[in-house]
Amino acid sequence: MMKKILALLIALLLVFSFAACKPQTGNTDTTTEAHNHTHTQEETTTANTDATQGNTNIPDTKPQTNDAPDKTDAPSAEVTTAPATQTEYHLYRGVIKGNVYTSSFTGIKFTKPDNWKYLSDEELSLKIGVDTMEMADNIFPTTADRVPAVYDMWATDEKSGINLSVAYENMHVTAAGAMTTDEYMEMLEGAFQNTKGTTLLSKSTVDLSGKMYQKAVFKTETGGTKTQSVYYLRAMGKFMNIILVTAPADTKLPDINKMFG
């Protein structure tokens, strides 16, 4: 299982390193092989626990519509505070309305700059290695239960090479059980310590949209390409919420905390 997680982590880093160097949309990339496995959902009764806080705070959600960013008639997501029950525990899509992405599942809200773009569901499905239909709101929870990881949102600045994604790794698929944020961070550090050309620059705990995330900043040099990668981690029951920001190493990143304000 550890080899599977390591392969997934490295695949995620490689695809973002490539995207940061030369932004691409609509093409199959290195995550496809890692994400193209099929698994039967394990029957578990894992509590919906935010491991960084030690209490159940995953909001009770309903399926949302993930409209394209150029549409203005998408409903706004309502973030509630009631914890989800076991039968309601599904990973629903976030909502994109104009420049704003809102996830009632995580309680986070992200506003992209005007010159950035959101990837379409067709582009996201290629990166996961699934059919586009599996990104549909009513099917997405089943997709998330079946594959190692899914992207809910990917924003990119094609000029600078900055990429930002919101992803979820299904720990019941990759690790046969939920992990705390601390455990995942330790595993992440160990994975990249064994990855040639990767250096951990810093670690901290940050607030994104009122939710606490563990942050790790890495610098990677591979094939003559130097990339900076910033991971934000938050355990949510059987899922690990991963917000990943990458860019060429010499590119100044915007204020990510403010973008999630």
Side-chain angles (χ1 to χ4, degrees):
M1 289 298 177
M2 184 60 68
K3 289 182 179 179
K4 183 185 293 186
I5 299 172
L6 177 60
L8 180 62
L9 290 169
I10 294 175
L12 283 171
L13 181 62
L14 288 177
V15 64
F16 273 94
S17 298
F18 178 75
C21 176
K22 186 178 180 181
Q24 298 285 333
T25 58
N27 293 322
T28 305
D29 53 51
T30 54
T31 56
T32 301
E33 182 178 355
H35 292 166
N36 202 28
H37 305 287
T38 57
H39 298 267
T40 302
Q41 180 183 4
E42 296 181 18
E43 297 182 3
T44 62
T45 55
T46 304
N48 306 320
T49 305
D50 185 337
T52 58
Q53 302 298 312
N55 52 44
T56 54
N57 66 352
I58 298 176
D60 182 6
T61 61
K62 300 295 183 182
Q64 304 285 341
T65 300
N66 195 56
D67 284 339
D70 58 346
K71 294 183 179 180
T72 58
D73 57 352
S76 299
E78 293 185 4
V79 179
T80 60
T81 57
T85 65
Q86 292 172 1
T87 57
E88 296 169 329
Y89 184 57
H90 292 291
L91 179 57
Y92 292 119
R93 296 294 308 271
V95 174
I96 293 176
K97 185 176 182 181
N99 288 341
V100 181
Y101 160 85
T102 307
S103 169
S104 58
F105 180 79
T106 59
I108 62 175
K109 181 178 180 180
F110 169 81
T111 304
K112 74 171 184 64
D114 290 336
N115 60 318
W116 288 30
K117 63 164 286 188
Y118 285 115
L119 267 60
S120 67
D121 283 359
E122 289 78 8
E123 292 164 329
L124 288 177
S125 66
L126 285 172
K127 295 183 179 300
I128 302 170
V130 300
D131 293 333
T132 302
M133 63 173 293
E134 295 192 67
M135 300 297 292
D137 296 312
N138 61 328
I139 302 177
F140 188 76
T142 302
T143 305
D145 283 335
R146 181 178 62 82
V147 302
V150 291
Y151 293 108
D152 188 34
M153 179 272 280
W154 184 315
T156 182
D157 177 9
E158 296 182 335
K159 184 177 180 180
S160 68
I162 298 174
N163 289 271
L164 183 150
S165 77
V166 175
Y168 302 93
E169 181 175 347
N170 187 338
M171 305 311 299
H172 284 189
V173 173
T174 61
M179 299 179 69
T180 66
T181 309
D182 287 337
E183 290 171 339
Y184 194 97
M185 178 62 77
E186 183 179 356
M187 181 196 65
L188 183 69
E189 291 181 64
F192 289 127
Q193 282 177 357
N194 296 320
T195 303
K196 186 177 180 181
T198 300
T199 304
L200 173 63
L201 300 181
S202 65
K203 288 173 56 181
S204 59
T205 301
V206 298
D207 183 320
L208 298 181
S209 301
K211 307 298 181 181
M212 301 309 297
Y213 283 79
Q214 288 194 26
K215 175 183 176 182
V217 182
F218 295 91
K219 181 178 180 180
T220 301
E221 182 173 1
T222 177
T225 300
K226 296 181 180 180
T227 307
Q228 53 182 316
S229 306
V230 185
Y231 283 79
Y232 299 87
L233 305 175
R234 176 183 166 203
M236 301 184 69
K238 65 181 177 182
F239 293 106
M240 184 63 60
N241 180 207
I242 304 170
I243 299 173
L244 179 56
V245 183
T246 65
D250 58 354
T251 299
K252 183 178 180 180
L253 295 178
D255 188 338
I256 301 299
N257 290 43
K258 185 177 180 180
M259 297 171 82
F260 279 94

Short mmCIF file of all heavy atoms in Angstrom, two decimals, residues 218-244:
data_model
loop_
_atom_site.label_atom_id
_atom_site.label_comp_id
_atom_site.label_asym_id
_atom_site.label_seq_id
_atom_site.Cartn_x
_atom_site.Cartn_y
_atom_site.Cartn_z
N PHE A 218 7.74 22.61 -1.08
CA PHE A 218 8.83 21.82 -1.65
C PHE A 218 9.41 22.53 -2.87
O PHE A 218 8.70 23.28 -3.57
CB PHE A 218 8.34 20.43 -2.09
CG PHE A 218 7.87 19.55 -0.98
CD1 PHE A 218 6.54 19.55 -0.59
CD2 PHE A 218 8.75 18.70 -0.33
CE1 PHE A 218 6.09 18.73 0.43
CE2 PHE A 218 8.32 17.88 0.70
CZ PHE A 218 6.98 17.89 1.08
N LYS A 219 10.67 22.28 -3.11
CA LYS A 219 11.31 22.72 -4.35
C LYS A 219 11.86 21.48 -5.05
O LYS A 219 12.50 20.64 -4.42
CB LYS A 219 12.45 23.70 -4.05
CG LYS A 219 13.16 24.22 -5.30
CD LYS A 219 14.25 25.22 -4.94
CE LYS A 219 14.95 25.73 -6.19
NZ LYS A 219 16.03 26.72 -5.84
N THR A 220 11.57 21.35 -6.33
CA THR A 220 11.96 20.16 -7.09
C THR A 220 12.70 20.55 -8.35
O THR A 220 12.30 21.49 -9.04
CB THR A 220 10.73 19.32 -7.47
OG1 THR A 220 10.04 18.93 -6.29
CG2 THR A 220 11.13 18.08 -8.24
N GLU A 221 13.77 19.82 -8.64
CA GLU A 221 14.48 20.00 -9.91
C GLU A 221 14.53 18.65 -10.60
O GLU A 221 15.10 17.69 -10.08
CB GLU A 221 15.89 20.53 -9.68
CG GLU A 221 16.64 20.77 -10.98
CD GLU A 221 17.99 21.45 -10.78
OE1 GLU A 221 18.35 21.72 -9.61
OE2 GLU A 221 18.69 21.70 -11.79
N THR A 222 13.90 18.57 -11.75
CA THR A 222 13.88 17.33 -12.51
C THR A 222 13.97 17.63 -13.99
O THR A 222 13.24 18.48 -14.51
CB THR A 222 12.59 16.51 -12.22
OG1 THR A 222 12.58 15.34 -13.03
CG2 THR A 222 11.33 17.31 -12.47
N GLY A 223 14.88 16.97 -14.66
CA GLY A 223 15.05 17.17 -16.10
C GLY A 223 15.38 18.59 -16.48
O GLY A 223 14.98 19.06 -17.55
N GLY A 224 16.07 19.30 -15.60
CA GLY A 224 16.43 20.69 -15.86
C GLY A 224 15.33 21.68 -15.55
O GLY A 224 15.51 22.89 -15.74
N THR A 225 14.19 21.21 -15.06
CA THR A 225 13.07 22.08 -14.70
C THR A 225 13.00 22.24 -13.19
O THR A 225 12.98 21.25 -12.46
CB THR A 225 11.73 21.50 -15.20
OG1 THR A 225 11.77 21.37 -16.62
CG2 THR A 225 10.57 22.40 -14.81
N LYS A 226 12.96 23.48 -12.71
CA LYS A 226 12.86 23.76 -11.29
C LYS A 226 11.45 24.24 -10.97
O LYS A 226 10.94 25.18 -11.59
CB LYS A 226 13.88 24.83 -10.88
CG LYS A 226 15.33 24.40 -11.06
CD LYS A 226 16.29 25.50 -10.61
CE LYS A 226 17.73 25.07 -10.79
NZ LYS A 226 18.67 26.14 -10.36
N THR A 227 10.82 23.56 -10.00
CA THR A 227 9.42 23.81 -9.66
C THR A 227 9.25 24.00 -8.16
O THR A 227 9.91 23.33 -7.38
CB THR A 227 8.54 22.64 -10.11
OG1 THR A 227 8.76 22.37 -11.49
CG2 THR A 227 7.06 22.94 -9.89
N GLN A 228 8.38 24.92 -7.79
CA GLN A 228 7.97 25.06 -6.38
C GLN A 228 6.58 24.46 -6.23
O GLN A 228 5.71 24.68 -7.08
CB GLN A 228 7.99 26.52 -5.95
CG GLN A 228 7.20 27.46 -6.84
CD GLN A 228 7.28 28.90 -6.40
OE1 GLN A 228 7.18 29.21 -5.19
NE2 GLN A 228 7.47 29.81 -7.35
N SER A 229 6.39 23.69 -5.17
CA SER A 229 5.12 23.02 -4.92
C SER A 229 4.69 23.28 -3.49
O SER A 229 5.47 23.07 -2.56
CB SER A 229 5.24 21.50 -5.15
OG SER A 229 5.76 21.22 -6.43
N VAL A 230 3.47 23.74 -3.32
CA VAL A 230 2.94 24.05 -2.00
C VAL A 230 1.72 23.15 -1.75
O VAL A 230 0.73 23.22 -2.49
CB VAL A 230 2.53 25.53 -1.87
CG1 VAL A 230 2.10 25.83 -0.44
CG2 VAL A 230 3.66 26.44 -2.32
N TYR A 231 1.82 22.29 -0.75
CA TYR A 231 0.74 21.37 -0.38
C TYR A 231 -0.02 21.91 0.82
O TYR A 231 0.59 22.33 1.81
CB TYR A 231 1.28 19.99 -0.03
CG TYR A 231 1.69 19.14 -1.20
CD1 TYR A 231 2.91 19.33 -1.84
CD2 TYR A 231 0.86 18.11 -1.68
CE1 TYR A 231 3.30 18.55 -2.91
CE2 TYR A 231 1.24 17.32 -2.75
CZ TYR A 231 2.46 17.55 -3.36
OH TYR A 231 2.83 16.77 -4.41
N TYR A 232 -1.34 21.88 0.74
CA TYR A 232 -2.21 22.16 1.89
C TYR A 232 -3.02 20.90 2.15
O TYR A 232 -3.74 20.42 1.26
CB TYR A 232 -3.15 23.33 1.59
CG TYR A 232 -2.45 24.65 1.30
CD1 TYR A 232 -2.04 24.95 0.00
CD2 TYR A 232 -2.20 25.58 2.30
CE1 TYR A 232 -1.41 26.15 -0.29
CE2 TYR A 232 -1.57 26.78 2.02
CZ TYR A 232 -1.18 27.06 0.73
OH TYR A 232 -0.54 28.26 0.44
N LEU A 233 -2.93 20.35 3.36
CA LEU A 233 -3.53 19.05 3.67
C LEU A 233 -4.55 19.17 4.80
O LEU A 233 -4.33 19.87 5.79
CB LEU A 233 -2.44 18.05 4.09
CG LEU A 233 -1.28 17.83 3.12
CD1 LEU A 233 -0.26 16.90 3.75
CD2 LEU A 233 -1.77 17.28 1.79
N ARG A 234 -5.64 18.42 4.64
CA ARG A 234 -6.67 18.37 5.69
C ARG A 234 -7.41 17.04 5.59
O ARG A 234 -8.02 16.72 4.56
CB ARG A 234 -7.66 19.53 5.51
CG ARG A 234 -8.82 19.53 6.49
CD ARG A 234 -9.75 20.67 6.15
NE ARG A 234 -11.04 20.57 6.82
CZ ARG A 234 -12.15 21.16 6.39
NH1 ARG A 234 -12.11 21.89 5.28
NH2 ARG A 234 -13.28 21.03 7.04
N ALA A 235 -7.33 16.23 6.63
CA ALA A 235 -8.02 14.94 6.65
C ALA A 235 -9.51 15.15 6.89
O ALA A 235 -9.92 15.90 7.77
CB ALA A 235 -7.44 14.06 7.75
N MET A 236 -10.32 14.46 6.06
CA MET A 236 -11.78 14.54 6.19
C MET A 236 -12.34 13.14 6.05
O MET A 236 -12.63 12.67 4.95
CB MET A 236 -12.36 15.47 5.12
CG MET A 236 -11.83 16.90 5.18
SD MET A 236 -12.64 18.00 3.96
CE MET A 236 -14.30 18.09 4.66
N GLY A 237 -12.44 12.42 7.18
CA GLY A 237 -12.91 11.05 7.14
C GLY A 237 -11.99 10.20 6.30
O GLY A 237 -10.78 10.19 6.50
N LYS A 238 -12.55 9.48 5.33
CA LYS A 238 -11.73 8.61 4.49
C LYS A 238 -11.00 9.36 3.39
O LYS A 238 -10.15 8.79 2.69
CB LYS A 238 -12.58 7.51 3.87
CG LYS A 238 -13.63 8.00 2.88
CD LYS A 238 -14.43 6.82 2.36
CE LYS A 238 -15.55 7.27 1.42
NZ LYS A 238 -16.35 6.12 0.95
N PHE A 239 -11.31 10.65 3.22
CA PHE A 239 -10.65 11.45 2.19
C PHE A 239 -9.57 12.35 2.79
O PHE A 239 -9.72 12.86 3.90
CB PHE A 239 -11.66 12.33 1.45
CG PHE A 239 -12.65 11.56 0.62
CD1 PHE A 239 -13.96 11.42 1.05
CD2 PHE A 239 -12.26 10.97 -0.57
CE1 PHE A 239 -14.87 10.70 0.30
CE2 PHE A 239 -13.16 10.24 -1.32
CZ PHE A 239 -14.48 10.12 -0.89
N MET A 240 -8.51 12.54 2.02
CA MET A 240 -7.51 13.57 2.33
C MET A 240 -7.72 14.70 1.34
O MET A 240 -7.56 14.53 0.13
CB MET A 240 -6.09 13.02 2.22
CG MET A 240 -5.02 14.03 2.64
SD MET A 240 -5.12 14.52 4.40
CE MET A 240 -4.88 12.93 5.20
N ASN A 241 -8.14 15.84 1.85
CA ASN A 241 -8.30 17.02 1.00
C ASN A 241 -6.91 17.61 0.74
O ASN A 241 -6.20 17.97 1.67
CB ASN A 241 -9.21 18.03 1.71
CG ASN A 241 -9.45 19.30 0.91
OD1 ASN A 241 -9.72 20.35 1.46
ND2 ASN A 241 -9.37 19.22 -0.41
N ILE A 242 -6.53 17.68 -0.53
CA ILE A 242 -5.21 18.18 -0.92
C ILE A 242 -5.40 19.38 -1.83
O ILE A 242 -5.96 19.28 -2.92
CB ILE A 242 -4.41 17.10 -1.66
CG1 ILE A 242 -4.29 15.84 -0.82
CG2 ILE A 242 -3.03 17.63 -2.05
CD1 ILE A 242 -3.71 14.66 -1.58
N ILE A 243 -4.95 20.54 -1.38
CA ILE A 243 -4.89 21.73 -2.23
C ILE A 243 -3.43 21.89 -2.63
O ILE A 243 -2.55 21.99 -1.77
CB ILE A 243 -5.40 22.97 -1.49
CG1 ILE A 243 -6.86 22.77 -1.08
CG2 ILE A 243 -5.26 24.21 -2.36
CD1 ILE A 243 -7.40 23.87 -0.19
N LEU A 244 -3.16 21.87 -3.91
CA LEU A 244 -1.78 21.89 -4.40
C LEU A 244 -1.57 23.07 -5.32
O LEU A 244 -2.33 23.28 -6.27
CB LEU A 244 -1.47 20.58 -5.14
CG LEU A 244 -0.08 20.42 -5.75
CD1 LEU A 244 1.01 20.60 -4.70
CD2 LEU A 244 0.05 19.06 -6.43
#
